[in-house]
């Protein structure tokens, strides 16, 4: 634009693009207009300027002033040029008057014609004769001036009477109008076609002339219209035979980014190259081989400048973008707000962002990830609710309201017929969150919910239907289940809103009750109330709106065994269980490696974003295969993780999970930062599980290894604190947390004990609310029926048990050596130790032949007199060496003088040592075995009436050691 400095101006009304193009072509040809290389621009309502590079070209076109330009066969434009942008309308009448006067004096008329048409009239005898003949009919002659591009027509003076001036001028004008319509002057600007015309110059003849401009590579064809069209058709055919075409694979979005640069290059350097798009994502370049190759090269070079960013997404989100016009929305928005345009393409389940600027690409990626959202909300156990149809109606109204102007959100129900249906919401984050809040509110009120209400007496649980009838509770969908064990309470299960409403009503009613305890004494009392007295009780109940409940003093010592809360699997007591969870959240402590578990998500630590920097990561890679490393690298990309960041990696089919969360940790030597990063990472792990609706997670105890070197207690405390911190908030879908630990690790037993102890202590928070439903482990209580005895093998500390008796081995001499015996006596106190010392003295005083008998009671009870107490005896294995297990120890308890409970003896042997025993050591032939056989027949009746429970506690053992142990139990009677 800076080179086009020499301007001329002209006026015209509303020129079309075609007319402007023809004017530009005319003034670009020196022989036609006297001009040269130029540009045309509109500078006013009806004013245009022509800017030339050379001043000589400006002066030449101004020298002619009026230029006649043929637009088509029947249309021409007359252009009057001036050197400044000042209209000369005021001078026009005077000029016209002068021209008329001059014409009247000279009796001649001057016509401006194209120079090539004048050359044609001069060189073509037939055309010249035709013009001469037509002018002679009106008594006129003509003279051609090629240099000035004029034809001067003179009237015969003698014919002034036959042809007055005006009549003559009209007739002359008609002749030249006919002349212009008969002949066509065609300018071929295509260089290739011009070369063809030059090569086939022999096609010129009497009725057709071809003129070639060497400096401008133009070819001009002049002749009758039919002859010109014929030769042009011939040239086009030859030109098409010499052209080639090339397909270039460039997507529509990519071409949109580089279109302006590419078309500018084509216009300036390859004007003859034609560009079309006949297929999707394919451009077709057509032209000479040289131009096509040059155009293809330029196109590919521009395409290489395009930057790409792939955003991992979900197929439903991509479907929404395509169907809702979201792609066009984001492109228009980025066009207005960013420095460089950004285009969006869908690629399977991913979104591809394209731009020529890295900065614009990053800003667009952040905006897309922030403004688009996909949510799947589980509706487990809610689809059968009567309010489910109401939820659908509310969601439908909300969707219509959100999409009133444009599609902003879409809703879909998934797995409606299954036990766990889902609502899928996809669209813009604001609208998705609005719908999600509606669903969560519905879940809060109608999802299957469990709560419990404490009762003041166990008898109230046994007779709770009578209490309900007094309260006037109407039938509802809430399941009411009273229980008296382990503590009296009522479990309520059903839709949350109904459960909470019923609980409030029952709680208020129970608080209003007044109770009083009576004792009725006398012979035959129980028989009376079972027969005749029953009617009396019914009458009293109906008359006074009261419940009369019998009290069972032997409830805790009757047929119901007493169990301790050592298996970590029972709910908190009713007093602290008034708050319940949206889901039953279970925590499992398992002995085994992480890769052996089954869960939605595995969690593993890493250092410096290296998956195999820890043994856990290496173990996962070994089982999952190299595909896990590939997934890890693809997810990581060029990201730089800071301590505490979490990398979500897709798992492989070989692993028992869907995702692996790698937590960026800090190596040893930076203790404070290491623990801080671990806390932050674990917090993010649980938040991501909640965000992505994962229902289960498996993770190790991170920290005690060689890499991080965090003390066991600190590592366990960090883990349990983050678990309880997460569970103290409102949880959505996470229901199972699995804590895995290696079985042969140096600190396995310490970690197991610490984890169980920490979680047990934190099972109920300081407000009395349960954080999770259960805590189980591989070493939880094992129950097995043996004849009429139920054997419980549990893990724990025997000194914490509250059974009727505890049993342990002793040599009756050393009570101070550290071990279980010392722990028991320390907790029991000096009184029990004194009794044990006295029993040892009496044992020494007995004859040797009675040593195998098990402490017969000092005072016998009357025959057949048995208590209803259930005796729970806990035996803890001290895990002695295999050689010591062969010593047939007698496990004894020490009853008081009034005790009538039967004794229990147990013989513990290693399974691999079974076989012939030395004489006197066989269980059946020993005095212990013989005593057991003699007394078993005598006390057969008593043992049938009195069930017994034998509970054994064992410390953490390896799997092989557990498999090599078996327990032999014998029920012994009294002497």
């Amino acid at each position: 634009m800076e080179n086009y400095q020499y301007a001329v101006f002209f006026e015209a009304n509303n020129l079309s693009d075609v007319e402007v193009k023809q004017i530009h072509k005319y003034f670009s040809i020196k022989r036609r207009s006297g001009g040269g290389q130029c540009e045309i621009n509109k500078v006013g309502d009806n004013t245009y300027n022509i800017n030339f590079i050379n001043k000589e070209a400006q002066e030449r076109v101004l020298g002619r002033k009026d230029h006649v330009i043929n637009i088509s066969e029947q249309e021409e434009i007359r252009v009057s040029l001036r050197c400044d942008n000042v209209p000369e309308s005021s001078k026009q009448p005077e000029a016209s008057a002068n021209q008329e006067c001059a014409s009247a004096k000279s009796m001649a008329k001057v016509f401006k014609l194209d120079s090539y048409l004048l050359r044609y009239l001069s060189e073509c005898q037939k055309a010249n004769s035709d013009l001469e003949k037509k002018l002679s009919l009106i008594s006129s002659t003509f003279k051609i001036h090629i240099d000035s591009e004029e034809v001067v027509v003179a009237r015969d003076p003698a014919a002034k009477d036959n042809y007055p001036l005006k009549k003559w001028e009209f007739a002359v004008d008609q002749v030249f109008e006919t002349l212009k319509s008969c002949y066509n002057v065609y300018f071929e600007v295509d260089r290739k076609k011009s070369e063809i015309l030059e090569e086939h110059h022999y096609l010129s003849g009497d009725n057709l002339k071809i003129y070639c401009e060497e400096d401008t590579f133009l070819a001009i064809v002049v002749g009758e219209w039919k002859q010109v069209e014929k030769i042009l058709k011939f040239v086009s055919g030859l030109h098409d035979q010499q052209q080639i075409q090339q397909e270039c694979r460039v997507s529509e979005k990519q071409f949109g980014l580089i279109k302006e640069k590419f078309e500018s290059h084509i216009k300036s350097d390859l004007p003859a190259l034609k560009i079309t798009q006949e297929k999707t994502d394919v451009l077709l370049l057509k032209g000479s081989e040289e131009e096509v190759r040059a155009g293809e090269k330029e196109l590919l070079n521009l395409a290489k400048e395009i930057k790409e960013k792939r955003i991992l997404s979900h197929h439903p989100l991509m479907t929404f973008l395509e169907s809702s016009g979201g792609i066009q929305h984001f492109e228009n928005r980025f066009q207005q707000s960013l420095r460089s345009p950004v285009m969006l393409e869908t690629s399977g389940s991913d979104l591809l962002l394209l731009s020529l600027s890295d900065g614009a690409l990053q800003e667009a990626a952040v905006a897309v990830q922030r403004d688009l959202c996909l949510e799947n909300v589980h509706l487990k156990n809610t689809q059968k609710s009567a309010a489910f149809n109401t939820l659908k109606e509310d969601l439908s109204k909300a969707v219509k309201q959100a999409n009133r102007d444009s599609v902003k959100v879409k809703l879909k129900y998934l797995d409606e017929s299954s036990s766990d249906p889902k609502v899928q919401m996809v669209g813009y984050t604001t609208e998705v969150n609005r719908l999600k809040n509606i669903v969560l509110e519905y879940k809060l009120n109608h999802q299957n919910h469990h709560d419990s209400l404490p009762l003041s007496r166990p008898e109230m649980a046994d007779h709770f239907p009578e209490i309900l009838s007094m309260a006037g509770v109407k039938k509802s969908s809430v399941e009411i289940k009273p229980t008296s064990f382990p503590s009296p309470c009522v479990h309520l299960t059903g839709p949350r809103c109904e459960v909470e409403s019923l609980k409030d009503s029952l709680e208020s009613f129970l608080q209003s009750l007044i109770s009083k305890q009576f004792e009725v004494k006398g012979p035959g009392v129980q028989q009376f109330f079972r027969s005749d007295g029953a009617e009396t009780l019914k009458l009293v109940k109906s008359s006074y709106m009261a419940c009369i409940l019998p009290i069972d003093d032997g409830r805790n010592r009757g047929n119901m065994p007493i169990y301790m809360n050592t298996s970590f699997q029972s709910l908190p007591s009713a007093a602290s269980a008034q708050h319940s969870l949206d889901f039953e959240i279970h925590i499992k402590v398992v002995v085994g490696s992480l890769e052996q578990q089954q869960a939605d998500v595995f969690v593993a630590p890493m250092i410096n974003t290296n998956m195999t920097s820890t043994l856990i990561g290496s173990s996962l890679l070994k089982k999952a295969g190299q595909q896990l490393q590939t997934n890890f690298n693809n997810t990581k990309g060029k990201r730089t993780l800071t301590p505490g960041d979490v990398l979500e990696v897709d798992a492989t089919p070989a692993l028992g999970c869907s995702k692996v969360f790698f937590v960026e940790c800090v190596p040893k030597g930076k203790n404070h930062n290491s623990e801080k990063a671990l806390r932050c990472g674990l917090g993010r792990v649980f938040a991501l599980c909640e965000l992505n609706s994962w229902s289960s997670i498996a993770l190790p105890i991170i920290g005690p290894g060689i890499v991080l070197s965090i003390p066991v207690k600190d590592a366990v405390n960090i883990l349990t604190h983050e678990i309880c911190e997460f569970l103290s908030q409102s949880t959505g879908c996470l229901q199972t947390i699995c804590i895995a630990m290696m079985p042969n690790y140096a600190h396995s037993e310490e970690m197991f004990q610490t984890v169980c102890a920490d979680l047990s202590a934190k099972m109920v928070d300081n407000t009395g609310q349960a954080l999770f439903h259960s805590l189980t482990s591989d070493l939880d209580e094992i129950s097995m029926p043996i004849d009429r005895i139920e054997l419980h093998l549990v893990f724990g500390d025997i000194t914490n048990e509250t059974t009727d008796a505890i049993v342990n081995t002793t040599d009756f001499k050393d009570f101070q050596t550290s071990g279980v015996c010392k722990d028991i006596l320390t907790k029991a106190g000096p009184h029990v130790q004194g009794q044990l010392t006295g029993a040892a003295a009496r044992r020494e005083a007995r004859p040797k032949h009675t040593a195998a008998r098990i402490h017969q009671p000092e005072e016998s009870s009357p025959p057949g007199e048995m208590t209803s107490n259930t005796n729970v005896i806990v035996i803890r294995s001290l895990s002695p060496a295999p050689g010591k297990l062969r010593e047939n120890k007698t496990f004894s308890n020490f009853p008081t003088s009034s005790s009538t409970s039967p004794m229990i003896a147990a013989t513990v042997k290693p399974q691999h040592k079974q076989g012939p025993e030395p004489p006197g050591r066989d269980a059946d032939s020993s005095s212990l075995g013989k005593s057991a056989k003699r007394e078993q027949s005598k006390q057969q009746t008593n043992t049938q009436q009195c069930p017994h429970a034998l509970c054994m506690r064992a410390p953490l053992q390896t799997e092989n050691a557990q498999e090599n142990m078996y327990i032999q139990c014998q029920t012994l009677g009294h002497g």
Side-chain angles (χ1 to χ4, degrees):
M1 186 67 183
E2 296 178 355
N3 297 328
Y4 298 92
Q5 301 177 1
Y6 305 99
V8 296
F9 298 86
F10 69 92
E11 294 183 6
N13 293 327
N14 299 324
L15 293 176
S16 66
D17 292 340
V18 175
E19 291 171 338
V20 172
K21 187 175 181 180
Q22 290 293 335
I23 293 173
H24 177 266
K25 182 188 294 186
Y26 172 81
F27 282 103
S28 297
I29 301 172
K30 181 178 178 181
R31 288 203 174 183
R32 293 185 65 189
S33 61
Q37 190 172 354
C38 62
E39 282 188 350
I40 298 180
N41 299 297
K42 189 174 184 179
V43 295
D45 291 339
N46 297 317
T47 305
Y48 297 82
N49 70 348
I50 307 174
N51 300 296
F52 294 95
I53 293 180
N54 298 320
K55 183 174 180 62
E56 292 80 6
Q58 179 194 36
E59 293 174 350
R60 287 195 299 268
V61 297
L62 286 173
R64 299 187 184 182
K65 193 172 183 180
D66 292 332
H67 295 261
V68 179
I69 304 167
N70 293 323
I71 302 301
S72 63
E73 297 181 10
Q74 301 177 350
E75 183 182 359
E76 66 179 16
I77 297 177
R78 185 178 299 274
V79 176
S80 297
L81 301 178
R82 60 178 183 273
C83 60
D84 52 21
N85 189 15
V86 178
E88 298 183 1
S89 56
S90 59
K91 301 178 182 180
Q92 189 64 31
E94 181 181 353
S96 300
N98 294 337
Q99 183 178 358
E100 183 178 353
C101 180
S103 300
K105 292 179 180 179
S106 63
M107 302 299 290
K109 191 172 179 67
V110 178
F111 291 92
K112 286 281 186 179
L113 295 181
D114 186 270
S115 60
Y116 293 103
L117 180 58
L118 293 177
R119 289 179 62 182
Y120 175 79
L121 292 174
S122 300
E123 297 173 3
C124 184
Q125 184 177 0
K126 181 177 181 302
N128 191 289
S129 298
D130 289 344
L131 178 60
E132 185 178 2
K133 182 177 180 181
K134 290 177 180 179
L135 289 175
S136 64
L137 295 176
I138 55 175
S139 303
S140 300
T141 59
F142 72 93
K143 187 174 182 180
I144 298 175
H145 300 279
I146 295 178
D147 294 337
S148 60
E149 299 183 1
E150 295 177 343
V151 176
V152 179
V153 180
R155 185 182 63 176
D156 187 354
K160 65 179 180 178
D161 295 333
N162 295 331
Y163 290 99
L165 180 61
K166 289 186 178 181
K167 181 179 179 180
W168 177 76
E169 286 182 344
F170 178 77
V172 172
D173 288 341
Q174 288 294 108
V175 170
F176 276 88
E177 288 294 331
T178 304
L179 175 71
K180 293 176 182 179
S181 63
C182 289
Y183 301 103
N184 180 18
V185 180
Y186 180 81
F187 291 84
E188 182 57 71
V189 295
D190 187 287
R191 184 171 179 176
K192 294 296 181 181
K193 291 184 178 180
S194 298
E195 291 175 355
I196 293 174
L197 286 171
E198 187 176 1
E199 291 175 0
H200 296 77
H201 195 270
Y202 60 85
L203 296 174
S204 299
D206 293 338
N207 299 326
L208 184 73
K209 297 296 182 181
I210 300 175
Y211 305 102
C212 297
E213 293 280 356
E214 295 181 359
D215 55 344
T216 58
F217 302 102
L218 290 176
I220 302 91
V221 182
V222 185
E224 295 180 358
W225 279 94
K226 291 184 178 180
Q227 294 294 326
V228 172
E229 289 179 355
K230 183 178 180 181
I231 192 64
L232 291 179
K233 186 176 181 181
F234 170 76
V235 171
S236 296
L238 291 178
H239 178 263
D240 292 341
Q241 292 177 5
Q242 297 177 359
Q243 285 190 323
I244 65 169
Q245 60 184 22
Q246 177 67 39
E247 290 185 349
C248 296
R249 189 164 296 278
V250 179
S251 70
E252 181 181 354
K253 303 293 184 179
Q254 290 176 320
F255 186 64
L257 291 171
I258 60 176
K259 182 178 180 180
E260 185 177 351
K261 288 185 178 180
F262 183 65
E263 289 184 345
S264 175
H265 174 79
I266 295 302
K267 183 178 180 181
S268 61
D269 296 351
L270 305 170
L273 185 64
K274 295 181 179 179
I275 306 170
T276 59
Q277 187 170 7
E278 299 178 358
K279 300 179 183 178
T280 305
D281 295 339
V282 174
L283 287 180
L284 186 65
L285 305 183
K286 189 174 182 180
S288 65
E289 183 175 1
E290 180 182 356
E291 290 178 332
V292 168
R293 300 305 178 205
E296 180 185 17
K297 182 178 179 181
E298 179 65 19
L299 181 64
L300 295 178
N301 288 337
L302 291 175
K304 291 179 181 179
E305 298 178 5
I306 299 175
K307 313 294 190 303
E308 294 184 358
K309 184 174 181 62
R310 183 177 296 272
I311 299 177
L312 301 179
S313 185
H314 303 277
H315 184 71
L317 203 54
M318 297 302 97
T319 303
F320 169 78
L321 280 176
E322 293 175 340
S323 61
S324 66
I327 292 179
Q328 188 63 40
H329 165 78
F330 278 108
E331 289 179 348
N332 294 339
R333 172 179 158 188
F334 296 151
Q335 181 77 25
Q336 298 173 3
S337 62
L338 299 181
R339 298 182 298 275
S340 178
V342 177
M343 297 293 181
L344 280 72
E345 284 185 352
T346 57
S347 176
S349 61
D350 299 338
L351 184 64
L352 191 64
L353 273 60
L354 308 171
S355 180
L356 296 173
S357 167
D358 284 326
L361 203 63
Q362 296 299 330
E363 292 183 42
V366 172
V368 169
Q369 291 175 311
R370 180 187 64 239
D371 295 345
L372 289 179
C373 181
L374 170 67
E375 288 284 354
N376 290 321
V377 181
H378 294 255
L379 297 176
K380 187 175 182 181
N381 298 326
T382 60
Q383 76 281 9
K384 297 179 181 179
S385 171
F388 189 62
N389 292 331
T390 304
L391 171 66
K392 285 188 172 182
E393 293 176 3
D394 292 342
L395 289 175
S396 178
K397 291 179 182 178
V399 170
K400 289 181 180 179
Q401 177 68 17
N403 296 338
R404 62 186 183 276
D405 297 327
S406 60
V407 180
K408 295 181 179 179
V409 66
K410 287 190 176 182
L411 184 73
K412 186 178 181 181
Y413 296 93
L414 305 176
D415 304 328
E416 283 192 79
S417 59
S418 69
S419 60
D420 185 19
K422 294 180 283 293
V423 179
Q424 183 181 87
M425 296 159 286
V426 58
Y428 296 102
T429 303
T430 303
E431 307 301 333
V432 169
N433 287 338
R434 186 174 289 114
L435 296 183
K436 183 181 178 181
N437 290 336
I438 296 175
V439 178
L440 292 179
E441 183 178 358
Y442 167 80
K443 286 181 62 178
L444 184 64
N445 292 326
H446 298 282
Q447 189 172 19
N448 199 36
H449 177 67
H450 175 78
D451 209 339
S452 60
L453 183 66
L455 300 175
S456 58
R457 298 274 313 178
E459 291 78 14
M460 295 177 69
D462 296 338
H463 301 272
F464 199 72
E466 299 178 33
I467 298 176
L468 287 179
S469 63
M470 289 178 58
V473 175
K474 297 180 181 180
K475 185 177 181 181
S476 67
S477 58
V478 177
E479 179 186 358
I480 303 174
K481 187 177 180 180
T483 179
S484 58
F485 178 80
S487 57
C489 65
V490 178
H491 297 287
L492 306 176
T493 305
R496 176 186 285 270
C497 57
E498 297 184 30
V499 168
E500 291 179 348
S501 175
L502 179 60
K503 180 182 177 182
D504 292 340
S505 301
L506 290 176
E507 197 169 27
S508 176
F509 175 75
L510 292 176
Q511 289 175 356
S512 67
L513 292 179
I514 300 174
S515 63
K516 189 171 183 180
Q517 181 173 334
F518 296 91
E519 183 177 3
V520 182
K521 299 181 180 180
V525 171
Q526 294 186 0
Q527 184 65 28
F528 170 76
F529 283 111
R530 290 174 184 170
S531 56
D532 298 339
E535 295 298 326
T536 305
L537 290 179
K538 288 182 181 179
L539 181 60
V540 173
K541 292 177 182 179
S542 60
S543 300
Y544 297 97
M545 289 296 294
C547 283
I548 302 175
L549 310 178
I551 298 176
D552 183 6
D553 290 333
R555 172 181 301 276
N556 293 332
R557 301 180 62 83
N559 295 328
M560 184 69 69
I562 299 176
Y563 301 102
M564 295 307 299
N565 185 21
T566 55
S567 62
F568 314 110
Q569 63 183 7
S570 59
L571 281 168
S573 64
S576 62
Q578 297 180 18
H579 169 75
S580 63
L581 309 172
D582 293 342
F583 294 94
E584 290 187 353
I585 299 177
H586 304 274
I587 300 179
K588 298 189 299 182
V589 182
V590 300
V591 178
S593 58
L594 179 64
E595 64 270 16
Q596 296 173 344
Q597 310 308 316
Q598 295 287 332
D600 291 336
V601 175
F602 283 0
V603 180
M606 65 177 177
I607 303 295
N608 298 327
T609 322
N610 180 7
M611 185 178 71
T612 58
S613 57
T614 64
L615 293 177
I616 298 174
S618 300
S619 300
L620 291 175
L621 178 62
K622 183 177 180 180
K623 183 170 183 180
Q626 192 59 35
Q627 182 60 41
L628 181 63
Q629 183 70 60
T630 302
N631 296 347
F632 181 91
N633 295 336
N634 292 338
T635 305
K636 180 182 69 173
K638 296 181 180 179
R639 292 174 56 188
T640 300
L641 300 183
T642 59
D645 286 349
V646 178
L647 191 67
E648 302 179 60
V649 179
D650 291 332
T652 64
L655 293 176
C657 64
S658 300
K659 289 279 187 179
V660 181
F661 288 178
F662 287 94
V663 180
E664 180 69 17
C665 298
V666 178
K668 69 177 181 180
K670 302 179 181 179
N671 293 334
H672 177 71
N673 292 335
S674 180
E675 295 182 9
K676 182 179 179 181
L678 182 56
R679 289 183 186 275
C680 181
L682 291 175
R684 290 182 180 177
V685 163
F686 290 116
L688 287 172
C689 288
E690 182 70 14
L691 180 64
N692 295 288
S693 301
W694 297 117
S695 63
S696 60
I697 181 174
L699 69 169
I701 299 176
I702 302 174
I706 300 176
V707 178
L708 301 182
S709 296
I710 299 176
V712 171
K713 290 185 178 180
D714 294 341
V716 171
N717 181 61
I718 292 173
L719 175 61
T720 56
H721 177 271
E722 292 304 322
I723 290 176
C724 295
E725 185 72 19
F726 168 72
L727 296 180
S728 64
Q729 305 170 5
S730 178
T731 58
C733 299
L734 189 60
Q735 301 179 45
T736 304
I737 301 175
C738 177
I739 303 174
M741 58 184 68
M742 294 297 291
N744 296 321
Y745 184 63
H747 302 288
S748 293
E749 184 167 355
E750 181 184 358
M751 286 193 294
F752 184 86
Q753 294 275 10
T754 309
V755 168
C756 292
D758 278 14
L759 291 176
S760 297
K762 298 174 182 177
M763 194 172 191
V764 178
D765 62 16
N766 54 9
T767 64
Q769 297 178 344
L771 294 179
F772 48 92
H773 180 266
S774 69
L775 173 62
T776 60
S777 73
D778 287 349
L779 303 178
D780 279 345
E781 179 175 318
I782 300 173
S783 300
M784 61 184 80
I786 302 177
D787 198 6
R788 289 175 299 278
I789 300 174
E790 187 173 1
L791 174 68
H792 295 267
L793 179 63
V794 297
F795 178 81
D797 187 349
I798 196 170
T799 62
N800 292 330
E801 298 304 324
T802 57
T803 56
D804 290 340
I806 61 175
V807 180
N808 187 51
T809 59
T810 179
D811 59 1
F812 295 96
K813 295 178 181 179
D814 184 7
F815 303 140
Q816 300 304 319
T817 302
S818 60
V820 178
C821 184
K822 182 179 179 181
D823 293 341
I824 294 174
L825 295 178
T826 300
K827 192 164 186 178
H831 176 68
V832 175
Q833 184 170 346
Q835 288 184 335
L836 185 61
T837 304
R842 290 194 297 273
R843 181 174 179 268
E844 292 294 334
R846 290 179 182 174
K848 294 184 178 180
H849 65 275
T850 60
R853 300 279 300 198
I854 299 181
H855 308 281
Q856 299 190 21
E858 298 177 357
E859 296 182 8
S860 300
S861 300
E865 181 179 336
M866 297 294 295
T867 64
S868 59
N869 293 342
T870 300
N871 297 284
V872 181
I873 300 173
V874 181
I875 300 175
R876 178 175 182 180
S877 172
L878 299 180
S879 303
K884 292 186 179 180
L885 285 174
R886 293 180 54 83
E887 298 178 9
N888 195 359
K889 298 287 185 179
T890 301
F891 294 16
S892 304
N893 68 341
F894 300 93
T896 61
S897 59
S898 60
S899 172
T900 57
S901 299
M903 300 295 178
I904 294 179
T907 302
V908 181
K909 298 180 182 180
Q911 188 174 5
H912 65 276
K913 291 294 184 178
Q914 290 187 36
E917 293 285 338
R921 305 296 292 180
D922 184 85
D924 291 334
S925 62
S926 66
S927 58
L928 174 64
K930 292 177 180 179
S931 298
K933 287 183 177 181
R934 285 197 302 269
E935 300 301 330
Q936 184 174 7
S937 60
K938 296 180 181 180
Q939 300 296 335
Q940 184 68 32
T941 305
N942 293 340
T943 55
Q944 292 177 353
Q945 295 177 354
C946 182
H948 297 73
L950 174 63
C951 178
M952 300 193 68
R953 293 205 170 276
L956 182 63
Q957 298 288 334
T958 62
E959 296 177 1
N960 293 333
Q962 291 176 352
E963 291 174 356
N964 293 332
M965 298 287 292
Y966 77 97
I967 300 172
Q968 176 183 347
C969 300
Q970 296 173 329
T971 302
L972 306 181
H974 296 283

